[in-house]
């Protein structure tokens, strides 16, 4: 299965621009407590390195020198030196772990702030973005990106910076005690190690980026398939889905194998460079010992210093790989953050003030695709407090009206006003707070019934929730459940029937208590008996509100104050049910056709 092109990671992401964008999380503005923790952690890093380089190395050197001298009367000093060596090693571990404990809150806070910023931005993006992306792929990108920031903070502060400090200290000791030859050899070895690591890691990154893309695609397919498990079962496609998923993870497994095999070659090359340096350095000091210019302890000193230097250098290869991968993951996430919203508040946007609830569409032209216009100069007036039904053939633009009124999209031409206020000039939050909707396909959170009803208004009390449930005629059903309002509804509310889900949606909207109400095919998926029950509830909540009813079944809207028939993105007819039947036009034709279909169904039922 091909990966989602909208969230592909790339191995050629520029390093410095991404790191510059990452720096604010390294030194968070307005957070003196976190900055103090960073400073404290870095001081512990410095102390740890000085103890490691001087305490560990020199205590062992002097102990070996005393032992090689054969002075058995110095046993007390030798024991103290050996104990000092052990204490220095313990001190290094102690300071490193104290450093981790001090810094942990910084990393977690940075991850939290970044994850919250991305989540908030994703919810701020337009409906168009979410319809064009796969949810599983987007969440995978966000997961990788937020996890990488903590890792990158840790490695930049506690591996790269300490390694540079340790290298400087080691070179100073080598230059002072053994001459420029060992300094030059160490610098050449470190430079060669870094160049080799970078070249091979850049090659590996291309393999890893491919592996990540395939992993993202496999996860996206798995999520999409599981979310649509009913459709899979309807068509007996379980084995087909299993084969598709197996093909996706097989491609990922092949890419992962190549990536891991390349790691083996990298490790072999790094080990060759470091061990060549270890052998050359110790041989050089042994030669100086033969000339009488070094002691036995100096051989141990060089061995210890190089071994200690090699440990972070060995990690440096992994660190470089991690940082490069972190840059790839964070760049993909930053691309999501940089994705502009199609619909934004105007700079001078003011809150919507609803006095009556008069809604008007004036000369509205709109199309989801520029080459395919849905609404063609639509004029529609919804008087305050009236119930206006919108009907028409499929593709006429009925549900598009609701999306435009909610401002999920902006109109191409014309305007939509509420009490004379163009909705493009008011804040989206205030606009959506004034509108309630009972959609055709009610999707509930995998939470309790009480939670789903209370979602209609933040901070609603249990009394408010119960009142809304009674208004939606679902309180009796809830009371019969063993867990009452704590009954869980399952993924997307699938533990409830269609009618029960619709009543929860009605209760949620009642709790919101908006002045403008949209009923978008709210009963089209229900059986006739359930539809009749819910229609009575809907007609009750329409009272006193400006209501737009988008309907397919004409029998559900005969009570409307006005019925608007759309055809080809324009208003074809308008009037009451009786008036439209007398005209014998498109509405009358639709009514006759549906009546004939109902008679045929009744005869088939008999």
């Amino acid at each position: 299965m091909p990966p989602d092109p909208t969230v592909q990671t790339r191995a050629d992401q520029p390093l410095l621009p991404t790191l510059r964008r990452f720096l604010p999380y390294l030194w968070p503005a307005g957070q003196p407590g976190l900055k103090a923790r960073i400073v404290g952690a870095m001081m512990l890093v410095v102390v740890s390195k000085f103890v490691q380089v001087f305490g560990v190395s020199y205590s062992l050197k002097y102990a070996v020198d005393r032992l090689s001298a054969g002075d058995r009367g110095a046993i007390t000093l030798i024991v103290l030196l050996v104990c000092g060596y052990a204490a220095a090693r313990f001190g290094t571990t102690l300071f490193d772990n104290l450093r981790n404990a001090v810094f942990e809150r910084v990393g977690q806070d940075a991850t939290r702030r970044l994850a919250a910023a991305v989540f908030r931005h994703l919810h701020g993006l337009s409906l168009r973005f979410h319809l064009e992306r796969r949810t599983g792929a987007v969440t995978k990108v966000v997961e990788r990106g937020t996890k990488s920031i903590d890792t990158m903070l840790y490695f930049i502060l506690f591996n790269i910076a300490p390694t540079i400090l340790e290298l400087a200290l080691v070179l100073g000791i080598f230059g002072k005690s053994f001459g420029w030859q060992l300094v030059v050899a160490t610098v050449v070895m470190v430079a060669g190690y870094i160049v080799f690591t970078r070249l091979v890691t850049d090659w590996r990154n291309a393999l890893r980026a491919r592996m990540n893309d395939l992993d993202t695609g496999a996860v996206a397919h798995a999520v999409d398939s599981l979310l649509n498990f009913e459709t899979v079962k309807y068509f007996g496609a379980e084995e087909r889905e299993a084969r598709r998923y197996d093909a996706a993870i097989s491609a990922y497994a092949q890419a992962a194998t190549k990536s891991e095999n390349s790691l083996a070659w990298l490790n072999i090359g790094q080990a060759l460079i470091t061990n060549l340096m270890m052998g050359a350095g110790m041989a050089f000091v042994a030669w100086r010992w033969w000339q009488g210019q070094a002691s036995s302890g100096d051989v141990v000193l060089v061995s210890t210093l190089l071994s200690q230097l090699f440990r972070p250098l060995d990690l440096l290869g992994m660190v470089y790989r991690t940082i490069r991968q972190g840059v790839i993951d964070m760049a993909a996430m930053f691309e999501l953050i940089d994705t502009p919203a199609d619909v934004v508040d105007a700079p001078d946007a003011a809150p919507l003030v609803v006095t009556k609830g008069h809604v008007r569409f004036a000369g509205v032209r709109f199309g989801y695709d520029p080459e395919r216009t849905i609404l063609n100069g639509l004029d529609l007036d919804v008087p305050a407090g009236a119930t206006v039904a919108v009907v028409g053939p499929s593709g006429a633009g009925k549900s598009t009206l609701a999306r435009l009124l909610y401002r999920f999209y902006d109109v191409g031409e014309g305007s939509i006003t509420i009490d004379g206020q163009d909705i493009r000039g008011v804040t989206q939050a205030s606009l959506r707070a004034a509108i309630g909707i009972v959609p055709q396909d009610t999707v509930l959170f995998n939470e309790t019934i009480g939670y789903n009803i209370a979602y209609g208004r933040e901070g609603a009390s249990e009394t408010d929730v119960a009142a809304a449930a009674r208004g939606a005629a679902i309180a009796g059903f809830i009371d019969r459940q063993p867990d009452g309002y704590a009954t869980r509804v399952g993924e997307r509310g699938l533990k409830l029937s269609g009618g029960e889900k619709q009543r929860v949606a009605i209760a949620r909207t009642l709790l919101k208590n908006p002045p403008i109400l949209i009923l978008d095919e709210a009963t089209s998926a229900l059986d006739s008996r359930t539809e009749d029950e819910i229609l009575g509830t809907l007609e009750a909540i329409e009272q006193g509100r400006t209501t737009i009813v988008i309907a397919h079944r004409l029998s559900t809207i005969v009570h409307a104050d006005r019925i608007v028939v759309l055809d080809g993105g324009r208003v074809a007819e308008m009037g009451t049910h009786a008036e439209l039947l007398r005209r014998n036009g498109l509405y009358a034709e639709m009514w006759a056709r549906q009546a004939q279909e109902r008679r045929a169904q009744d005869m088939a039922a008999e």
Side-chain angles (χ1 to χ4, degrees):
M1 175 182 155
D4 188 344
T6 64
V7 293
Q8 279 192 4
T9 53
R10 299 194 299 271
D12 59 347
Q13 290 291 346
L15 180 64
L16 291 180
T18 304
L19 288 180
R20 279 197 300 268
R21 187 161 183 179
F22 155 79
L23 286 178
Y25 297 95
L26 177 61
W27 192 254
Q31 299 283 344
L34 295 180
K35 291 179 179 179
R37 284 180 172 271
I38 295 174
V39 172
M42 293 307 298
M43 291 177 64
L44 289 170
V45 167
V46 173
V47 172
S48 174
K49 284 303 174 187
F50 271 90
V51 170
Q52 180 177 325
V53 171
F54 293 102
V56 174
S57 303
Y58 276 97
S59 59
L60 187 59
K61 163 187 160 53
Y62 292 138
V64 172
D65 282 340
R66 289 291 180 176
L67 288 170
S68 62
D71 184 2
R72 301 186 186 279
I75 184 60
T76 301
L77 178 59
I78 293 173
V79 170
L80 290 175
L81 287 169
V82 171
C83 291
Y85 167 76
R89 285 177 60 89
F90 171 75
T92 300
T93 302
L94 174 65
F95 291 128
D96 284 348
N97 283 276
L98 287 176
R99 170 205 71 192
N100 292 342
V102 170
F103 182 76
E104 182 62 26
R105 182 172 295 179
V106 178
Q108 292 297 331
D109 186 78
T111 302
R112 175 192 62 79
R113 287 184 288 115
L114 182 60
V118 176
F119 187 78
R120 186 175 290 106
H121 180 73
L122 286 175
H123 270 297
L125 292 176
S126 63
L127 183 63
R128 190 187 306 274
F129 171 88
H130 291 283
L131 292 178
E132 293 176 353
R133 264 68 170 183
R134 288 187 169 186
T135 302
V138 171
T139 54
K140 193 70 174 180
V141 169
V142 174
E143 177 188 354
R144 288 201 197 108
T146 52
K147 283 183 177 179
S148 67
I149 188 168
D150 186 35
T151 304
M152 291 179 70
L153 277 170
Y154 181 87
F155 282 134
I156 288 175
L157 289 177
F158 303 143
N159 189 280
I160 294 178
T163 300
I164 294 173
L165 174 60
E166 184 173 1
L167 178 60
L169 294 175
V170 169
L171 292 179
I173 294 172
F174 283 175
K176 181 179 179 180
S177 303
F178 306 109
W180 61 269
Q181 297 93 334
L182 192 56
V183 173
V184 171
T186 304
V187 171
V188 169
M189 182 275 296
V190 172
Y193 184 96
I194 293 174
V195 170
F196 172 79
T197 299
R198 178 175 180 178
L199 291 175
V200 177
T201 302
D202 286 342
W203 166 59
R204 291 194 67 240
N205 279 338
L207 299 177
R208 187 172 178 84
R210 171 65 176 167
M211 180 185 73
N212 279 346
D213 288 341
L214 291 170
D215 182 32
T216 297
V219 171
H221 169 69
V223 171
D224 192 35
S225 181
L226 291 174
L227 287 176
N228 291 279
F229 74 95
E230 288 178 285
T231 304
V232 174
K233 290 187 176 298
Y234 289 154
F235 293 93
E238 293 91 343
E239 183 59 31
R240 188 195 319 168
E241 289 297 311
R243 288 196 303 270
R244 288 185 62 199
Y245 182 66
D246 182 64
I249 58 177
S250 294
Y252 166 75
Q254 293 177 3
T257 300
K258 291 181 181 179
S259 178
E260 291 304 313
N261 288 345
S262 67
L263 176 60
W265 291 110
L266 177 62
N267 291 336
I268 291 172
Q270 290 173 335
L272 177 62
I273 295 173
T274 54
N275 283 284
L276 283 175
M277 180 59 202
M278 175 73 80
M282 294 181 67
F284 175 74
V285 178
W287 175 72
R288 286 175 63 89
W289 170 82
W290 175 70
Q291 291 185 324
Q293 298 175 352
S295 66
S296 301
D298 287 333
V299 177
V300 175
L301 175 66
V302 170
S303 173
T304 304
L305 289 174
L306 287 177
S307 296
Q308 292 175 165
L309 180 61
F310 290 159
R311 279 198 294 271
L313 280 180
D314 285 341
L315 288 177
L316 191 62
M318 184 265 290
V319 168
Y320 178 72
R321 294 193 302 270
T322 303
I323 289 179
R324 285 294 303 174
Q325 185 58 42
V327 168
I328 292 171
D329 293 340
M330 291 182 68
M333 184 186 59
F334 284 141
E335 285 183 7
L336 289 179
I337 295 178
D338 292 339
T339 302
D342 294 340
V343 179
V344 296
D345 287 344
D348 57 347
L352 175 68
V353 178
V354 181
T355 55
K356 297 179 180 178
H358 179 197
V359 179
R360 186 167 186 270
F361 292 75
V364 172
R365 296 183 64 87
F366 173 78
Y368 298 104
D369 188 325
E371 298 179 358
R372 180 172 174 265
T373 304
I374 303 295
L375 301 178
N376 297 283
L378 175 74
D379 289 301
L380 175 61
D381 190 79
V382 184
T387 296
V388 174
V390 180
V391 300
S394 297
K398 302 186 297 296
S399 294
T400 299
L401 297 181
R403 291 178 171 179
L404 291 177
L405 188 57
Y406 259 101
R407 211 177 161 214
F408 290 160
Y409 302 91
D410 274 335
V411 299
E413 296 179 16
S415 65
I416 302 173
T417 60
I418 297 177
D419 288 335
Q421 302 161 84
D422 192 319
I423 64 173
R424 290 171 295 189
V426 301
T427 61
Q428 296 177 67
S430 65
L431 170 67
R432 291 164 189 165
I435 306 173
I437 188 169
V438 180
Q440 174 182 3
D441 183 18
T442 298
V443 178
L444 303 181
F445 291 98
N446 189 4
E447 264 286 354
T448 65
I449 293 179
Y451 175 89
N452 278 282
I453 295 176
Y455 201 80
R457 189 178 77 236
E458 186 176 10
S461 67
E462 293 182 4
T463 303
D464 296 333
V465 171
R470 287 193 298 272
I474 196 175
F477 164 78
I478 298 174
D479 292 337
R480 290 193 298 272
Q481 305 306 305
D483 295 327
Y485 285 87
T487 302
R488 300 190 71 89
V489 303
E491 189 80 30
R492 295 182 298 153
L494 292 179
K495 289 185 178 180
L496 303 182
S497 69
E500 291 158 358
K501 286 169 60 178
Q502 288 298 79
R503 290 190 188 278
V504 170
I506 294 169
R508 188 162 58 187
T509 303
L510 275 175
L511 186 63
K512 185 177 183 180
N513 194 26
I516 300 171
L517 179 64
I518 300 174
L519 304 177
D520 186 3
E521 307 254 20
T523 63
S524 63
L526 306 178
D527 60 85
S528 299
R529 179 177 177 181
T530 306
E531 180 183 60
D532 291 340
E533 293 174 353
I534 288 183
L535 279 176
T537 304
L538 292 176
E539 290 179 17
I541 70 172
E542 290 172 13
Q543 301 302 316
R545 309 174 198 272
T546 301
T547 306
I548 300 175
V549 183
I550 299 168
H552 172 71
R553 286 204 280 264
L554 304 184
S555 59
T556 64
I557 48 91
V558 294
H559 68 286
D561 300 318
R562 182 184 303 173
I563 298 173
V564 176
V565 183
L566 295 186
D567 188 28
R570 294 185 177 89
V571 176
E573 297 176 347
M574 185 186 305
T576 65
H577 172 70
E579 291 171 348
L580 291 174
L581 286 181
R582 286 196 296 270
R583 290 184 188 177
N584 202 28
L586 180 58
Y587 180 84
E589 178 185 339
M590 295 168 60
W591 178 266
R593 186 183 305 116
Q594 292 188 11
Q596 183 177 358
E597 291 173 356
R598 285 195 300 272
R599 286 194 297 271
Q601 291 173 358
D602 292 341
M603 291 177 62
E606 295 175 358

